[in-house]
Every structure is written in C-alpha cells, then in structure tokens.
Amino acid sequence: MLKLITAIIFCTTFTFNCPAQHTGNDSLQALLASTSQPLQRFDLIRKELEDNLTSSRNIDSSLCIQLLDIAQHLKSDSLLAISYNWIGSYFSFYKGDNIAALEYYFKGIPLAQKANDKRRISSLYFDITLVYSQLKNYAAAFDNNIKGGENLPEKSSPMYDYMLVQYQRNFSEYYLAVHNADSALYYAKLTEVTANRVGARTFVFSSVFLTGAAYAMAKKTAMADSIFKKAIAILPLVKLNPLRSSFYNKYIQFLLNTSRLADAKIFCWKLLDLGNTNNSNPIRLQAVGYMQQVFDSLHQTDSAYYYSRQQSKISADIFSEGNINRIQALSFHEKLRSIEEEAKQAAYRNQVKQYTLVVVLLFFILIGLLLHRNNRQRRKANTVLKTTLSDLKSTQSQLIQSEKMASLGELTAGIAHEIQNPLNFVNNFSEVNKELMAEMNEEIEKGNYGEVKLIAKDITANEEKINHHGKRADAIVKGMLQHSRQSSGIKEPTNINALADEYLRLSYHGLRAKDNSFNAALNSSYDPSIGNIKVIPQDIGRVLLNLFNNAFYAVAEKQKKTAGEEYRPAVSVSTKKNGDKIELTVSDNGNGIPAAIKEKIFQPFFTTKPTGQGTGLGLSLSYDIVKAHGGELQVETKEGEGSKFIITLPLN
C-alpha cells in the first residue's frame, strides 16, 4: 500500500513539472537494463541522482520512484532512509516545497536510526537544518544541526570529514543569521580547514564566502571585499543551487551595506532568476526583499512599492498559519515519536521483567513442593522462600517505578501541548511589535508625534501581553519541574481545586497529543470554601492523573464502539466540603465496570486494558496513596453508563 500511494503521489506531482530527461538518462537506462541485481540498480540510480545534483540538472521523477521501489522491495531500513532523503532533497532543492521536504526527512530519521546508519542520520538532520534556516526558524535549525553533529560517522569512516564540514558550515550560517560575527568567522575557518582536507570545491567555496560575510558583519570592509572577489572567481565552477543562493544572499547584503547599488541590483536579478528556475519561494522572498531595498535607496518609489507587495505576497505563502501549523505538527510528532519509542522499549523491558517474575515464581513453587515432600529440608525451603519474597518485593518496586515513569510521560505530553499556547502568543505579539516599531519610525520621520504616542501605547500594551504569556509559560515549566521531581514525602498546604483542574487539562492534552481526532467535554465544579489542605502534592497528582487517564480511556473506547451513534464523551471533576473532610469526584460516561470485576480493580496487577497497555498498578498505587493520607478511594459504576471515583481526604 505504501508503495502504491508513493507512486501515485510522485506521478501526479512530477508529471507536469519535470523537464525532459537529459541525455545521460539514456546511458543509465541501458545500464539498468543490463542488470537485474536490485542493489546494483539502486547504486546506479543513486549515482545518477548525485550527478544531477552536483551538475545542477533537474531530477527525473521516475528515478526517485525506482529508488524507493527497490528499497521497499528489499525491505531495507537503510535504503529506505536514503530514498526518503533524496525525495526530501527533491522537494527542497527543485520544488521549493519545504514542508513536503520536512515530511520525508522526518520519515527517514527513524529508519536510519533503526539501521544505525550514522552517515544517513547526520545527513537527514543537516538537510532539516537547511530547511529551517530558509524558513528563518533559527532555533530549530540550531537544534537539528546539534543532533546531526551528535550522529557523525566514526572518525575512521571516509565520510567523517564530509559530514563534519557540513556541520561546521551550518554553524557558520547560523551565527551569521543571529549576527554573531566572531563565532561565524570561527566556524568559517574550521570549514575551510576541513574543506581543504576533503578536497571538495563546493565546501571550499562555502568557507570562502562565509568568511567574507563574517568580515563584512565585523565592519572589515576591505578584507570582506577581497575575500568575496575570490568567491566570485570560484562561482562559475559551482553548480549546487543552494550554495549559489547562499552566496548571493551574503554578497547582496554586503553590497547594500557598502552602497554599491548597481552591483547589488545585478546580483538581485541573479538571485531572483535562481528562485524562479527552481520554483523556490524562500529564494524569491530573499530576492524581492533585496530589490525593495535597492529601489528604496535609489528613491524609485514605484518599483520599491511593487517589490514590497511581492515580498508580502510570497511571505504570506511561506509563513501562512497553515504552513506554520504543519511545520509545528511535524516537529511535535517527531518529538512524540521519540517519546513513544522510549515508552515501547520501557514496556518491553517491563514485559521481560514480568515474564522473569513468573518463571522465578514457578521455579520456587516447584522447589517448595519438593521441599514439602522432604521434611528434613523444611528449614532450607523456608530460607529459599524468604529470598524469593525479597526478590518479589524488589521486582514490585521496579514495576511501581515504571508506572510512575509512564505517568510522567503522559504528563509531559500534556504540558508540551499546554505550553505551546503562550509561546504562540509571545511570538505573535512580538511580530506585531516589530511592525509597530517600523510604523513608529516612519511617523517620527514625518513628525506625527501624536500618532507616535498612540503606537507607543499599542507597543506597551503588547509588551504587557508578552510579559503575561511569558509568565504563564514560566509557570507551566515550573509546574512541570515541581510535578516531575521525586516526592519529598512531606505534606504541604495545597490548593486541591487548582491541582485537580491542572491535571484534568494535562491528561486531556496528553491524550490529544497521541490522537488529535479525540474530543471530549470537560466539566468541573469546585467548592471555593475548601481552601488549602495538607497533602503531598506529587503523590495526589499521580492519583488524579491516573483517574483522569482511566476516564479518558474509558470514553475513548466507548466512542470507538458507538461509531455513527450519537455519543458525546464527557469527563467531570468536582470537589465539596463534607464536615471535616473533602470529597473529590472524577466521573465519566464511558463503558462502566462490570459488576463481576468491580471488587478486583484495586488489586495489584489487575487490569482490563489489552496486554502491553497497562501494568495493573495504577489504581492499586492510587488506593495506597489515598490510604496513606488518611483518606478513602471508592468507586461507583454502572455497566454501559459510566464510572465515578470518589476520593475522601481529611481537611487537616
């Protein structure tokens, strides 16, 4: 099915956009026809793709399809990772579709990791770095370049220097983007040393113009001019369009800063032509932005306005809300994939421990039976059984810790979703303030100080909002640290209403992070007269998280069974004071608990979830925690209608 879908996508996407095959394809097809060995065919196609890239020829879509088809036929994770890497590069370099490129790069990473192909892992992360740099998401570019550097091949590998030079070059580009001339120059010099060792013209070219850009940023104009001239001399020999684009970008900035407008205009046209040739909106955006600056400096208002409009239009296409959301979703799903992979490994280890425990139990039961038949060895049997009991307690402690870690993973997923909202507000209001500052400067130049004051008020108001949402994000992070730390075992005054409301939202967002199609009504009713009560917040938090997770699981399962019927999942939480105690109730309208197993749900290791989805310790631990607080945990349920868990805790 994956093969069919991929083939359809490529055929429909590429048929009307790819140029005629170059003459080299004829000889390639002859070579492919002469061999039936899949690996040989794969290597021939990959070599052709590499030749196309280095000679700046467009890629024939059928080559990409054949490459992926062979990898799928061989069921090779390493070859699949290579295929996805090339498909991503096609979308990035030749189609200008960075979002599609990210999708295929992220597909390739787990396959390369599974194959332990460090050369491919680092290559994928470095390509992702280039995409984020084009999208001006420099923080994400920095993070992915670090990941690529962490996965470099061994130093003994012939590919080590080849990947190292990309790592160094990306850092030089990053520090130029964030205006750190010293660090940019440092990494440009490192790039030059490694590039000369590799002997690749493209990397030597990169190191030259990056060095020139770093000197230009440091206001060393004469030195920068001399080095840029060296880069211009090498430029005709460089066919890689991404490198040419990066050079034009740096050199045009230098020409504008030194008021060489005629030269800047010439290179702007070259950059725009490169963007049009490759149908790349990020390159076009750079080009029209520079054209606007050129015409502004030449006081040609009409032309400057035209390119300003072009810049706004292209920017809207690239940075539309839909595109940003897709990119954020891709990044978030990649993080979730890593978390889920770790969770799977932890679940596997827990399963092994459980099987080991069963084997140990059976083994010692057999020994016990044999010892029972031999009265003379009773003392020895007792000693063995005591040892067994100690081992069981140790294993149970490990399982309890695993349950706590699973809860922490679900909590973290919810927090990640929760923290995204204030961060979005901070980013949005920062962008608005940037535009307002530009307007303020214009009004100051015009002398409209009344308008300046109004704009200043707007900026102040926005700064207050940024501060508010920043504090909100800070509070979420502090809360995460508070709830993830090891329990101190000391009771402290706690707002039980706020604690319940927080964990309700985090549990819901944690499930939504795994399945964004899931929705449920959240109902809450809190008694404000309760105030603070003394509890161990980390422990009560684990109880609440477990109850909410079970409730959402129950309504989600019922929703699957009632597909097409009118059913609205709902989870409710309420608190009320009852004399010298408080009652906290968590209820749902899920499937309920059958009467036959109602009495077993608080027993250790009893679970109604499928194998591998639950340890059966959640409710048992919750029951023990509530008991340790001097309270009670009770359940009221009716099969088919839902369940209600009631926590009773003393006020003092």
Side-chain angles (χ1 to χ4, degrees):
M1 180 60 73
L2 175 61
K3 184 189 300 182
L4 176 62
I5 294 172
T6 306
I8 293 172
I9 292 173
F10 269 89
C11 289
T12 55
T13 305
F14 300 163
T15 302
F16 301 103
N17 295 301
C18 290
Q21 297 178 3
H22 62 83
T23 56
N25 261 359
D26 295 333
S27 60
L28 172 66
Q29 295 305 321
L31 288 171
L32 290 174
S34 67
T35 179
S36 60
Q37 296 298 319
L39 279 176
Q40 292 180 9
R41 293 172 63 84
F42 190 93
D43 287 336
L44 286 170
I45 295 170
R46 183 169 62 171
K47 180 64 167 60
E48 179 70 7
L49 291 171
E50 290 172 351
D51 290 342
N52 288 349
L53 181 63
T54 56
S55 60
S56 194
R57 295 195 301 264
N58 285 335
I59 293 176
D60 178 17
S61 63
S62 65
L63 298 181
C64 298
I65 296 173
Q66 290 179 62
L67 200 68
L68 184 60
D69 185 71
I70 293 171
Q72 291 174 336
H73 174 72
L74 294 175
K75 298 180 180 178
S76 167
D77 293 328
S78 180
L79 298 186
L80 282 170
I82 294 171
S83 302
Y84 285 138
N85 200 165
W86 273 108
I87 295 169
S89 297
Y90 177 87
F91 278 109
S92 178
F93 296 162
Y94 296 99
K95 302 295 291 178
D97 189 344
N98 284 325
I99 296 176
L102 284 177
E103 290 178 346
Y104 282 101
Y105 289 150
F106 281 133
K107 277 186 179 181
I109 287 174
L111 294 168
Q113 290 172 336
K114 188 176 179 182
N116 196 29
D117 185 350
K118 289 197 170 184
R119 180 260 186 272
R120 188 56 48 191
I121 296 171
S122 57
S123 177
L124 285 161
Y125 276 123
F126 291 152
D127 286 342
I128 291 170
T129 298
L130 295 177
V131 171
Y132 277 124
S133 294
Q134 281 198 338
L135 295 172
K136 300 186 184 303
N137 189 342
Y138 299 120
F142 182 89
D143 290 342
N144 281 280
N145 198 50
I146 289 289
K147 291 178 182 177
E150 291 172 347
N151 288 279
L152 290 175
E154 300 297 329
K155 289 187 177 181
S156 58
S157 168
M159 295 303 298
Y160 175 78
D161 281 339
Y162 183 80
M163 305 311 298
L164 175 64
V165 73
Q166 296 183 58
Y167 175 72
Q168 294 165 342
R169 180 191 63 190
N170 289 344
F171 265 135
S172 184
E173 291 270 10
Y174 167 79
Y175 284 114
L176 283 172
V178 298
H179 304 288
N180 187 332
D182 290 341
S183 295
L185 181 60
Y186 171 79
Y187 279 102
K189 293 294 185 182
L190 288 180
T191 303
E192 181 180 8
V193 172
T194 311
N196 287 326
R197 193 163 62 237
V198 173
R201 181 188 300 128
T202 54
F203 293 127
V204 173
F205 174 69
S206 291
S207 68
V208 173
F209 75 75
L210 288 172
T211 301
Y215 278 125
M217 184 173 289
K219 307 299 183 183
K220 297 180 180 180
T221 304
M223 182 71 76
D225 194 40
S226 173
I227 294 174
F228 272 127
K229 286 178 180 177
K230 293 180 182 179
I232 292 173
I234 306 173
L235 181 62
L237 304 176
V238 177
K239 302 300 182 182
L240 279 174
N241 289 331
L243 281 184
R244 296 175 71 89
S245 167
S246 183
F247 164 73
Y248 288 144
N249 186 8
K250 309 296 186 299
Y251 190 49
I252 292 170
Q253 291 180 45
F254 173 68
L255 293 174
L256 288 171
N257 290 336
T258 55
S259 300
R260 292 151 65 176
L261 301 181
D263 290 339
K265 187 175 180 182
I266 292 171
F267 280 92
C268 282
W269 283 117
K270 291 183 179 182
L271 183 60
L272 184 58
D273 181 66
L274 187 65
N276 290 333
T277 301
N278 289 275
N279 192 28
S280 173
N281 270 340
I283 296 178
R284 289 193 190 104
L285 180 62
Q286 293 172 350
V288 297
Y290 292 135
M291 291 293 273
Q292 180 200 358
Q293 294 181 50
V294 169
F295 286 114
D296 270 340
S297 300
L298 292 172
H299 304 294
Q300 296 181 20
T301 308
D302 291 343
S303 296
Y305 178 72
Y306 170 80
Y307 285 106
S308 175
R309 292 291 302 275
Q310 291 295 310
Q311 186 180 18
S312 298
K313 181 181 178 182
I314 298 172
S315 181
D317 289 340
I318 296 175
F319 301 107
S320 67
E321 183 177 354
N323 285 347
I324 291 174
N325 287 340
R326 285 179 64 190
I327 292 170
Q328 290 177 340
L330 286 172
S331 179
F332 187 64
H333 288 159
E334 172 61 14
K335 292 177 182 176
L336 280 183
R337 183 196 65 78
S338 298
I339 293 172
E340 289 170 354
E341 184 64 28
E342 292 176 3
K344 287 179 182 177
Q345 293 177 3
Y348 173 75
R349 290 193 295 269
N350 288 340
Q351 227 174 17
V352 170
K353 289 177 183 177
Q354 289 178 3
Y355 291 150
T356 303
L357 175 62
V358 171
V359 171
V360 171
L361 280 171
L362 291 174
F363 176 73
F364 282 108
I365 288 172
L366 178 60
I367 290 178
L369 290 174
L370 292 173
L371 293 175
H372 182 69
R373 294 172 60 187
N374 191 344
N375 292 331
R376 292 174 298 176
Q377 298 181 1
R378 284 183 180 178
R379 184 171 297 179
K380 182 179 178 181
N382 289 335
T383 303
V384 173
L385 289 174
K386 287 180 181 179
T387 303
T388 304
L389 181 60
S390 176
D391 291 342
L392 287 175
K393 289 181 178 179
S394 176
T395 304
Q396 186 180 34
S397 298
Q398 294 175 8
L399 288 173
I400 291 171
Q401 183 63 25
S402 297
E403 179 72 19
K404 292 179 179 178
M405 293 305 294
S407 298
L408 179 60
E410 294 173 343
L411 177 64
T412 304
I415 290 171
H417 186 282
E418 185 76 3
I419 201 173
Q420 190 62 50
N421 291 329
L423 289 180
N424 285 340
F425 278 110
V426 170
N427 290 336
N428 291 340
F429 283 118
S430 296
E431 287 293 328
V432 171
N433 272 4
K434 183 178 178 182
E435 294 174 3
L436 288 174
M437 289 297 294
E439 291 181 16
M440 178 185 284
N441 289 333
E442 292 176 4
E443 296 300 332
I444 290 174
E445 290 178 1
K446 295 176 183 179
N448 296 338
Y449 294 107
E451 187 66 24
V452 169
K453 292 180 179 179
L454 293 176
I455 294 173
K457 289 182 179 179
D458 290 340
I459 292 173
T460 301
N462 288 345
E463 287 296 325
E464 291 176 353
K465 293 174 182 175
I466 290 172
N467 181 262
H468 169 73
H469 291 289
K471 288 181 178 178
R472 181 183 167 200
D474 179 64
I476 293 171
V477 171
K478 288 180 179 176
M480 178 178 67
L481 295 174
Q482 172 72 15
H483 298 305
S484 64
R485 74 185 185 187
Q486 188 70 24
S487 172
S488 64
I490 300 174
K491 294 182 179 181
E492 55 188 67
T494 303
N495 187 328
I496 198 70
N497 292 338
L499 191 69
D501 190 68
E502 178 184 9
Y503 275 96
L504 174 66
R505 290 184 292 103
L506 292 179
S507 176
Y508 179 66
H509 291 318
L511 184 57
R512 287 268 300 160
K514 296 178 182 176
D515 181 10
N516 58 14
S517 65
F518 174 75
N519 286 290
L522 307 181
N523 304 315
S524 58
S525 175
Y526 302 117
D527 185 351
S529 66
I530 292 175
N532 292 342
I533 64 172
K534 284 191 175 183
V535 295
I536 303 173
Q538 292 87 354
D539 289 350
I540 296 299
R542 289 193 182 98
V543 173
L544 292 170
L545 184 63
N546 182 268
L547 295 181
F548 289 135
N549 286 344
N550 287 347
F552 285 120
Y553 177 87
V555 297
E557 288 299 303
K558 185 172 182 178
Q559 188 177 43
K560 293 176 185 176
K561 294 179 181 179
T562 58
E565 301 178 14
E566 289 188 6
Y567 170 69
R568 177 73 187 279
V571 174
S572 304
V573 58
S574 65
T575 60
K576 68 176 182 178
K577 185 186 293 186
N578 187 0
D580 60 347
K581 297 182 179 181
I582 65 112
E583 289 183 1
L584 191 154
T585 304
V586 176
S587 58
D588 63 75
N589 62 345
N591 290 317
I593 302 171
I597 64 172
K598 178 182 174 183
E599 301 301 323
K600 300 179 182 180
I601 62 172
F602 294 116
Q603 295 177 6
F605 309 111
F606 180 83
T607 179
T608 60
K609 295 179 181 178
T611 303
Q613 293 189 24
T615 63
L617 289 171
L619 285 176
S620 174
L621 286 174
S622 299
Y623 185 88
D624 291 342
I625 290 171
V626 174
K627 279 289 186 183
H629 280 74
E632 292 183 357
L633 177 58
Q634 299 173 311
V635 60
E636 297 177 3
T637 182
K638 188 171 183 180
E639 189 172 0
E641 296 185 9
S643 301
K644 180 189 295 184
F645 285 84
I646 304 168
I647 301 172
T648 304
L649 293 171
L651 276 173
N652 297 315

